[in-house]
Amino acid sequence: MTRSPDASLVGRVTGLARACETGLLCAVLAAMVLLAAAQIVFRNLGWGGIAWADEALRLMVLWVAVLGAVAASRGQRHVSIDAFARLMQPAAWRAVQRLTAAFATVVCAALAWQSLLFVRESAAAGDLALGGAVPAWATQVILPVGFALMALRYAILVWSGPAVADNRQPAAH
Amino acid sequence: MTAVVLVVLTLLGAPLFAVIAAGAMLGFQTAGIPLLAVPIEVFGIAETPILLAIPLFTFAGYVLAESRAPLRLVRLTSAVVGWIPGGVAMVAIVVCAIFTAFTGGSGVTIIALGAALLPALLKAGYDERFSLGLITSAGCLGLLFAPSLPLILYGIVTETSIDEMFIAGIVPGSLMMLGLAAYCLWRNRHVRVPLSEFSWSEVRAAAADAWLDLPLPILVLGGIYGGVFAVSEAAAVTAVYVVIAEALVHRDIPLRRLPAIMRDSMVLVGAILLILGLSLASTNVMIDAQLPERMVAEVTQLVGGRTSFLALLFVFLLLLGAVLDIFAALLLVVPLIAPVAAQYGIDPVHLGILFVANLELGYLAPPMGRNLVVASYRFNQSILSLYRATFPFVLVLLLTVVLVTFVPQLSLWMLGR
């Protein structure tokens, strides 16, 4: 996925956004690995574990999931049925890619909006998370942000078309 | 009408999560439920403790795949059993199975192990078509062993004990491996392979090289099967272990590569968990519309006995596996089929094993099973030549999957049921 550095403003902005996404994703995942390991050590030493750790770990799973999903939208790596798309002529395939991306844009925008309503409701109710240390909305805010970023990604795909011309490359995971 | 549009979009390759989300939102709209319910269901990801295992195991699997651990494992096992007739083929089968169990995806196995296994097989005197067929098909072994992600997902979706799933998979998974092994021996019975000499010094050198990789499967599998670790604890131990072993001690992976590996592995996790979260919402819509009850009523009316139901399910899952990713297939189809299967007295553990075993074969199904595509790319072969190469292996695996489907004792015997 390495592309030649794009010196334009748009290129620099998307490059920066990508770096922020990756940085946050790695930070949360690293924290998750360390906290999960620390929790096992503490329990086995008979110190009883960290009180807020289990809830924090569950929230981190949500965060890496959403950030990972954003990264997946960027690289067109969401699960889809590609058996038929692979058999299409490249030109038809490019048109179809734009159509499905338009659909995904609308859905992600709707999800972002509904998530925002969800977060607003939880903020208005004054819910707390992590043993009362933080307001619950601060842990939920990844949902509207994530879906909005995904909508943006798909909108860019509709606008500029697929970055690769070839529909016969394997998607390995 | 909207359902038709969604199906067409799915077949055209629209991201599956968007189709599921659209379906759930339309369903809630029709039922007069606020659409706010969808993000609330997605937030349910943060309320399911066992999910912690998924990012940790996936990350560990990706680190292993990028390290040189697969090569060291092939070297060691070749040194130990390479001198036995058929030994190198056995190595391929066992190493692929272990590796796929840890990485959860068989495409990864082909990429990580192909570079080591293909030359080893050719050098041992196997012809190219046989070797390609073996590696491509052995890539899907191992999904029935701990800590495979599909088994974990099935446990989460049906609220079946994941430890029981891991234990139940042992016999069916071994059966598939034995089936392939038997075929390899039979197919090459006339080939006089120049056997390599057994050499203690090579075994010692290979073991010294792999001393840090070896404890991992023992630690994790022993820990899970022995009941020492909960699944998510085993995942945390694995993640820490592989980073220390492969990045810090062996230095196979430069530390500056780690962020890219983290990101890549979380792309898969995000894709799976997003579908999981949204399918919680769409499953609610289906339950609201009493779809499972109607399925049960329809199917029990049409399909007489348990055997014919299993036969129908067998065909359905093979077709499904050919077009749909195993994770998505599990998340979407299991909630609908499980109540029907319960009507026929099928044990949920057996159902899970037969689901995974059948869907596994989808990796090898024409036209575009993932293993075929990945192998054609990796080894620079036409997909047609891979159909031919894998065909006999697929037949053997199909036979074992038939046994796993129709003989529940294979799955349940270890559980003492």
Side-chain angles (χ1 to χ4, degrees):
Chain A
M1 282 305 289
T2 40
R3 270 187 226 163
S4 56
D6 187 346
S8 72
L9 183 64
V10 179
R12 264 182 290 169
V13 170
T14 48
L16 187 66
R18 185 191 155 100
C20 289
E21 252 171 57
T22 309
L24 187 58
L25 185 57
C26 294
V28 179
L29 179 59
M32 193 163 96
V33 172
L34 293 176
L35 186 59
Q39 186 75 336
I40 298 175
V41 173
F42 284 5
R43 278 203 187 121
N44 283 304
L45 289 178
W47 298 350
I50 310 159
W52 46 267
D54 288 333
E55 190 190 355
L57 284 169
R58 283 186 276 123
L59 287 168
M60 286 176 188
V61 172
L62 177 74
W63 279 62
V64 292
V66 175
L67 291 167
V70 173
S73 315
R74 180 187 293 277
Q76 286 291 291
R77 287 172 62 190
H78 273 290
V79 178
S80 62
I81 295 185
D82 56 2
F84 304 101
R86 281 178 195 283
L87 305 173
M88 289 175 198
Q89 291 301 316
W93 175 76
R94 295 174 69 86
V96 164
Q97 284 276 300
R98 285 189 154 158
L99 174 74
T100 53
F103 167 69
T105 309
V106 175
V107 173
C108 289
L111 286 172
W113 175 244
Q114 293 301 330
S115 308
L116 193 64
L117 296 180
F118 164 57
V119 173
R120 193 185 63 165
E121 209 162 88
S122 132
D127 295 343
L128 294 174
L130 292 171
V134 273
W137 67 262
T139 66
Q140 297 157 346
V141 75
I142 190 68
L143 284 174
V145 172
F147 284 125
L149 285 173
M150 287 164 72
L152 188 65
R153 265 288 120 198
Y154 283 111
I156 292 174
L157 184 62
V158 177
W159 181 258
S160 57
V164 282
D166 189 2
N167 52 333
R168 293 182 172 104
Q169 294 253 321
H173 50 57
Chain B
M1 178 57 202
T2 36
V4 175
V5 173
L6 288 183
V7 169
V8 170
L9 281 167
T10 310
L11 294 181
L12 287 177
L16 216 54
F17 81 85
V19 176
I20 300 164
M25 287 194 281
L26 291 169
F28 280 135
Q29 184 93 34
T30 316
I33 299 167
L35 297 188
L36 202 69
V38 177
I40 292 176
E41 292 286 358
V42 177
F43 191 72
I45 293 174
E47 282 152 4
T48 317
I50 180 66
L51 290 181
L52 176 62
I54 293 181
L56 295 178
F57 271 132
T58 311
F59 169 58
Y62 271 67
V63 173
L64 277 178
E66 291 243 347
S67 73
R68 296 174 52 81
L71 303 182
R72 292 189 290 264
L73 202 56
V74 172
R75 180 180 173 202
L76 179 63
T77 38
S78 308
V80 175
V81 298
W83 55 278
I84 304 171
V88 180
M90 306 302 118
V91 168
I93 292 171
V94 172
V95 174
C96 283
I98 295 178
F99 202 71
T100 308
F102 271 86
T103 59
S106 45
V108 180
T109 303
I110 294 174
I111 291 176
L113 284 170
L117 283 179
L118 187 60
L121 284 165
L122 294 176
K123 203 177 122 206
Y126 298 103
D127 65 73
E128 190 182 28
R129 186 200 277 192
F130 172 86
S131 309
L132 282 172
L134 177 61
I135 295 173
T136 311
S137 18
C140 75
L141 294 171
L143 289 183
L144 289 171
F145 299 117
S148 120
L149 283 184
L151 291 182
I152 296 179
L153 274 185
Y154 179 87
I156 292 169
V157 175
T158 57
E159 293 175 2
T160 309
S161 148
I162 292 169
D163 291 324
E164 284 187 3
M165 294 302 302
F166 285 161
I167 294 170
I170 296 177
V171 174
S174 310
L175 185 70
M176 295 179 86
M177 287 170 64
L178 285 176
L180 278 195
Y183 171 74
C184 290
L185 290 178
W186 178 81
R187 156 76 207 268
N188 294 295
R189 66 198 179 285
H190 300 308
V191 181
R192 285 283 155 261
V193 179
L195 295 178
S196 58
E197 290 280 306
F198 179 81
S199 130
W200 270 113
S201 62
E202 169 62 9
V203 171
R204 259 198 305 274
D209 202 20
W211 67 276
L212 202 52
D213 307 315
L214 281 180
L216 181 67
I218 299 165
L219 185 74
V220 173
L221 298 183
I224 291 177
Y225 285 126
V228 182
F229 297 133
V231 175
S232 51
E233 287 177 337
V237 171
T238 310
V240 172
Y241 191 100
V242 297
V243 170
I244 293 176
E246 313 305 340
L248 298 180
V249 180
H250 276 304
R251 293 173 189 266
D252 290 343
I253 297 167
L255 285 177
R256 64 189 143 73
R257 268 289 296 159
L258 272 183
I261 297 176
M262 286 175 144
R263 180 189 156 93
D264 270 357
S265 59
M266 289 309 109
V267 162
L268 175 62
V269 169
I272 297 175
L273 290 188
L274 185 61
I275 291 184
L276 173 77
L278 290 165
S279 70
L280 293 175
S282 72
T283 304
N284 271 348
V285 170
M286 291 195 267
I287 290 172
D288 232 41
Q290 296 183 320
L291 208 60
E293 287 91 333
R294 284 195 293 193
M295 281 269 297
V296 170
E298 292 278 327
V299 176
T300 44
Q301 205 165 43
L302 284 173
V303 185
R306 172 190 164 116
T307 312
S308 21
F309 172 74
L310 283 175
L312 201 66
L313 188 59
F314 175 75
V315 175
F316 169 71
L317 288 179
L318 284 186
L319 294 176
L320 186 72
V323 291
L324 196 55
D325 177 82
I326 187 166
F327 301 115
L330 282 171
L331 292 171
L332 293 180
V333 179
V334 166
L336 281 177
I337 303 280
V340 185
Q343 286 290 311
Y344 289 95
I346 294 166
D347 191 291
V349 172
H350 173 221
L351 184 71
I353 298 296
L354 81 87
F355 251 88
V356 174
N358 273 283
L359 292 172
E360 224 177 86
L361 280 188
Y363 281 128
L364 296 171
M368 288 288 165
R370 172 158 321 130
N371 280 14
L372 297 171
V373 177
V374 171
S376 110
Y377 180 71
R378 182 72 186 73
F379 302 120
N380 215 357
Q381 298 279 328
S382 83
I383 198 122
L384 275 176
S385 69
L386 283 167
Y387 293 165
R388 272 199 301 273
T390 50
F391 184 72
F393 296 94
V394 173
L395 280 188
V396 173
L397 288 176
L398 203 61
L399 196 71
T400 58
V401 173
V402 167
L403 285 175
V404 170
T405 306
F406 292 97
V407 186
Q409 288 80 4
L410 289 173
S411 311
L412 301 177
W413 180 74
M414 289 283 284
L415 293 170
R417 291 192 195 160

